[in-house]
Structures are given as C-alpha cells and as structure tokens.
Amino acid sequence: MELNEVLRLVRKNIISLAPYSTARDEYKGALGVFLDANENPFENGYNRYPDPRQLELKGIISKFKGVAVENMFIGNGSDEAIDLCYRVFCNPGKDNAVAITPSYGMYRVAADINDVEFREVQLDGEFSFPGKEVLDLCDENTKLVFFCSPNNPSGNSFPMEQMLEFISSFKGIVVVDEAYIDFAEQPSLLTVLPKYKNLIVLQTLSKAYGLAGLRLGLAFADAEIMSIFAKVKYPYNINIAGMERAKELLARDVKSEIELLKSERKRVAAALKEMKCVQRVFPSDANFLLVRVDDARALYDALIQEQVIVRDRSRLKGCEGTLRITIGKPEENDRMLAIVKDWK
Ligand code: PMP
C-alpha cells in the first residue's frame, strides 16, 4: 500500500486533532531557567517533567534494533501501543478488527474498551497461519488485523513469506506482535519495515530484555504513523525513573541470558516429551512451551501444591488439555520437571 492510502485509514478526528503542546515541546534547550512548566524548582531527580519524545532512550533502542528514531514509539508496555492502534484507526461502533485465536488476550480487551467489533479466526490444531481465512473475514470496515508471531500461547512463529503476502494483499493496517521475537529462529519483520507502509511491528522490553516491571513497549512503523501515535498518546507516558533505569539496564548484554533460555527450552521440551502424562509439546520459538497433558487441571493443581505456578490454558478453544509453561532458570525448570515426572 502507498503511504497516502494508509493515512486515509486514520480516523478523521485524529487527523485533525491539535495535540496538547507541552512546555518542553515549545522550548527544547537543556540549559536555562525553567519557569515554563509550573514545576517545583528544587532538584530531587524527578522534579522536572520527562522528555515527551523520549529521544535519548529511543536513540539507544535505535542502535540495537537498527530502526530510526522517527519510526519508533515507546509506550507504557506494548499494551499501550495496542490500545493506540484502535484509537488511531478505528471509529467506535463502526469499524472492526480481525485477529487469530488462541492468541494474546489484549487485542480483544482493547477492542471492547474502544467499542470496536472484534472478529476472530480459529487456528487449526497445528496453529498454522490462516491468511486466507483472515482475509475472508475482512470487509470494508476492517481497519486492523492482528497477528502474533511467535504466537502466545502456542509458541510458534508464522512463516515470514506468508505474513508478507498477507500484508501486501490487505487494504488495512497489519499489526504484527513480536513480543517474543528475540527467542525466535526466524528474523523480525523489522528487516522489511520500509517496504510495507501498512505494517506496524510491536515489540517489548518486557521479555528478552527482562524489564517487564518498567513497562516499556515498542511500536515500529512508517514515520507518519508514528507521529500520529505521538500526538494521541498521553504527553508524558514514560516517566524519568523508567527511562533512567532502562538506559542503565540496556547497557547489559542480554545475549547470554537469551541463549541460556533457548537451550533450556530445548532441554525442557525434550524432557517433557519423555514423560508419561505428556501427550504433546508444541514447537516453540518463544520463552514458553505449550504442553498437552492427560489431565491439565489436576497437573496444574499438583504443581501449585509445590508452589510451581504455570498457566492453565485448557479452557481456551484450541488449547484444550494444555498448560503453558514459561522457561525459567535451569534449577526452576528442574523443579517443575521433577513434579511432572512423579505425577500419577
Ligand atoms: N504481546 C504479547 C504477545 C504478550 O504475550 C504480552 C505480554 N504477555 C504483551 C504483548 C504485553 O507486553 P508488555 O509488557 O510490553 O505490555
């Protein structure tokens, strides 16, 4: 799609929105006597408002993601970016969004909050990419399609060519949630971002970067879309404490942690496959495994008894009889494996 066609998908009131102009938008210098923002002048590290554009943190992220600052949005978790997709593109009570199921629950919750009709395509037993079925469910009011790759809770990635074929043929916005991409064997769609103007890629610092508590989610898209996100978001959506800690913690090298979690994923999957109560361990490109077992609820309870907490996904259509198990540290995984092995 051409950029002008993509911009036509934006709600009219958002296109014409005059955003709140912060004191820091008007004067951008770092030095001076700041009597413009009704702040308290006594320094304590947090008495000034944060940079609403988060340029310093974006600069750091830009280096390791290889994406320009203008193509980036930072939100209070990627959940904020999901909500903004609806607020920017979907007219409440009129437009709709299409997603796959089972997948991440916030796509539906954010649609419901924004009074946007939410349509779902059930994945098959192998959780394969349902491009045609999704396209068939779209109509002229479908503004957004959500894919999650690697998908939560199934753990598999969708083939890149199939996703790209979909993005080329769909006349709306495609949001690809790559929250778990750092654990995946296949490359991120960030590598092709400039070619697809209707693509929004979501990532997060909550998983591989270990910063879930700081709430820093990322969206990447064409600079025009990102500037619309910037005018719709709360002006100071990311606070100084979070940005400062992120800058420090992003200086660590997380590669060895990621490699360890990936090798643990392989080890845990192989060990689970040998166990009597395990029917199937689904292939995973993420930091968790979806496992079908003989009696999911009873095994969940047995694990809880030993203070090992996993996620029971068995009531989710398509995930009957399954538990979703996050890959922990080796000794934590061993503890979980010992309980599953001795069970029944
Ligand atoms: N996307 C997916 C697929 C997730 O599983 C999660 C969290 N579990 C999120 C997004 C939200 O991440 P964040 O912490 O950035 O809000």
Side-chain angles (χ1 to χ4, degrees):
M1 264 172 107
E2 298 295 324
L3 181 61
N4 59 352
E5 294 174 88
V6 173
L7 295 175
R8 256 185 263 133
L9 298 166
V10 177
R11 291 166 65 195
K12 300 254 167 336
N13 62 310
I14 299 298
I15 288 285
S16 57
L17 176 75
Y20 176 69
S21 172
T22 72
R24 297 294 177 262
D25 285 322
E26 284 163 25
Y27 179 80
K28 298 199 171 79
L31 293 177
V33 176
F34 288 96
L35 305 178
D36 57 350
N38 301 345
E39 294 152 335
N40 185 315
F42 301 105
E43 293 299 332
N44 62 21
Y46 303 111
N47 57 313
R48 300 291 175 192
Y49 283 101
D51 171 13
R53 295 170 305 154
Q54 301 116 11
L55 287 179
E56 213 182 327
L57 183 56
K58 280 182 182 161
I60 293 170
I61 296 171
S62 166
K63 285 209 188 85
F64 64 81
K65 289 289 172 192
V67 179
V69 163
E70 313 76 84
N71 297 107
M72 192 186 304
F73 163 84
I74 307 183
N76 184 323
S78 27
D79 290 343
E80 182 182 356
I82 294 168
D83 182 56
L84 276 174
C85 290
Y86 287 103
R87 293 167 72 202
V88 166
F89 293 105
C90 297
N91 291 291
K94 176 173 171 240
D95 294 328
N96 67 70
V98 180
I100 54 174
T101 186
S103 193
Y104 182 47
M106 275 307 286
Y107 313 137
R108 173 185 281 283
V109 174
D112 290 347
I113 291 169
N114 287 287
D115 192 19
V116 171
E117 185 197 342
F118 188 73
R119 303 177 178 181
E120 286 173 328
V121 169
Q122 184 69 44
L123 295 178
D124 65 17
E126 299 302 314
F127 305 111
S128 28
F129 185 71
K132 185 180 174 314
E133 291 81 351
V134 170
L135 215 47
D136 286 348
L137 208 58
C138 295
D139 60 22
E140 68 282 4
N141 292 326
T142 306
K143 292 290 186 62
L144 300 174
V145 164
F146 285 91
F147 292 119
C148 181
S149 179
N151 187 37
N152 177 10
S154 52
N156 60 311
S157 295
F158 298 124
M160 190 155 178
E161 322 77 69
Q162 292 180 23
M163 285 194 285
L164 293 180
E165 198 185 315
F166 183 93
I167 298 164
S168 303
S169 53
F170 177 57
K171 293 280 168 230
I173 302 291
V174 184
V175 183
V176 179
D177 185 344
E178 295 189 334
Y180 300 98
I181 193 69
D182 304 287
F183 303 106
E185 300 304 331
Q186 88 173 36
S188 162
L189 288 191
L190 285 183
T191 49
V192 297
L193 192 66
K195 276 205 243 160
Y196 297 88
K197 301 293 176 196
N198 60 335
L199 170 63
I200 299 177
V201 175
L202 303 182
Q203 293 192 4
T204 180
L205 301 185
S206 298
K207 311 290 177 185
Y209 294 92
L211 304 183
L214 293 184
R215 311 304 304 126
L216 293 164
L218 310 172
F220 303 95
D222 184 86
E224 296 268 356
I225 298 182
M226 295 291 84
S227 70
I228 296 170
F229 272 45
K231 76 173 189 173
V232 177
K233 76 176 178 74
Y234 290 152
Y236 304 111
N237 60 329
I238 306 298
N239 65 63
I240 290 179
M243 285 194 280
E244 294 292 329
R245 285 299 281 150
K247 277 185 255 165
E248 282 165 35
L249 291 166
L250 288 173
R252 291 175 313 158
D253 190 2
V254 289
K255 275 201 203 82
S256 58
E257 289 176 7
I258 296 173
E259 285 314 311
L260 177 61
L261 291 172
K262 281 165 63 172
S263 83
E264 280 294 286
R265 173 177 75 199
K266 198 167 161 200
R267 180 180 78 89
V268 171
L272 284 170
K273 278 180 192 158
E274 297 303 314
M275 294 183 185
K276 299 199 287 308
C277 64
V278 173
Q279 298 171 9
R280 178 134 190 224
V281 181
F282 287 89
S284 173
D285 239 1
N287 65 337
F288 56 82
L289 292 168
L290 188 73
V291 187
R292 180 159 285 135
V293 296
D294 285 343
D295 186 345
R297 189 69 213 179
L299 178 55
Y300 173 85
D301 289 339
L303 286 160
I304 287 273
Q305 283 288 316
E306 302 291 328
Q307 291 176 313
V308 173
I309 301 101
V310 300
R311 195 91 194 261
D312 179 7
R313 298 276 68 187
S314 49
R315 281 176 303 274
L316 216 55
K317 192 162 175 247
C319 289
E320 290 80 2
T322 63
L323 300 179
R324 193 195 68 194
I325 305 175
T326 303
I327 302 299
K329 290 184 260 187
E331 61 274 23
E332 295 176 321
N333 301 329
D334 284 342
R335 186 151 154 208
M336 178 275 296
L337 288 169
I339 300 165
V340 178
K341 186 160 186 267
D342 291 344
W343 188 61
K344 279 199 175 165

